[in-house]
Amino acid sequence: MPIVQNLARLDEATLVACSSSVAVLDDVCSFRALDRDEYLDLDWAPAPLEQAARIAQVPASLLEGLARATAGGEEANAAYREMPDSIWEHPVTSLNPTEVRRVHEQLQELRRVDFLSSATATEAFVRAGAEFSPPEADPLENLRPHFQALCDFYATAVERRLGVLMWWD
């Protein structure tokens, strides 16, 4: 079974409920609690996005923002690790609306840096050992839509003053 990075936008009350109720958290992580458009499937993209940003030598604060956008902050509810089918190595984490705003600002700045666009970045990414299929494909081309979706997801969360929950599934 493939493992993918999932994010969910939710109001602060539901975010708080997730921290105290495994059942509420399970409903969110099982895609039952929210409308489908409140979720984002980032597939395998978080680690390669961070690798591309490091290779492009983006400022450390922006690299931290990118990592936080997908890794989150505090674990939402440690008791959830006891749920069947949960992933121990990747606990469910969250960002409150204030943290979401900061991550959004960092992502917007990272977007302006345009670290996924240059031929030099593509060459450096390949030299760093990234392998893609087919081999002749632009490796960063696969990451661009994921990064765009991540930026858009956070922009909507900020507009609506929502928190974000993230987990691997």
Side-chain angles (χ1 to χ4, degrees), residues 26-39:
D26 189 51
D27 280 345
V28 172
C29 292
S30 298
F31 305 96
R32 294 186 297 259
L34 307 169
D35 291 337
R36 185 66 198 138
D37 62 348
E38 299 301 340
Y39 293 96

Side-chain angles (χ1 to χ4, degrees), residues 39 140 164:
Y39 293 96
L140 299 182
V164 173

Side-chain angles (χ1 to χ4, degrees), residues 53-120:
R54 279 192 300 278
I55 290 167
Q57 298 179 338
V58 301
S61 64
L62 300 184
L63 185 57
E64 180 219 330
L66 179 59
R68 201 157 158 82
T70 59
E74 296 295 318
E75 184 170 3
N77 186 332
Y80 190 68
R81 291 180 181 216
E82 302 299 323
M83 288 292 292
D85 301 322
S86 68
I87 300 175
W88 273 81
E89 297 84 17
H90 301 284
V92 179
T93 58
S94 64
L95 298 172
N96 66 41
T98 302
E99 294 166 320
V100 165
R101 175 169 292 290
R102 177 66 185 134
V103 165
H104 166 69
E105 291 166 355
Q106 291 168 310
L107 289 174
Q108 292 309 304
E109 195 171 332
L110 190 55
R111 180 185 269 172
R112 285 187 288 280
V113 170
D114 205 12
F115 72 103
L116 295 173
S117 69
S118 75
T120 304

Side-chain angles (χ1 to χ4, degrees), residues 9 11 29-30 43 45 49 53 63 66-67 73 84 96 102 109 120 124 128-129 131 135 139 143-144 150 158:
R9 290 185 294 241
D11 61 57
C29 292
S30 298
D43 201 12
L49 280 170
L63 185 57
L66 179 59
N96 66 41
R102 177 66 185 134
E109 195 171 332
T120 304
E131 295 179 21
L143 296 176
R144 289 181 191 111
L150 183 65
V158 166

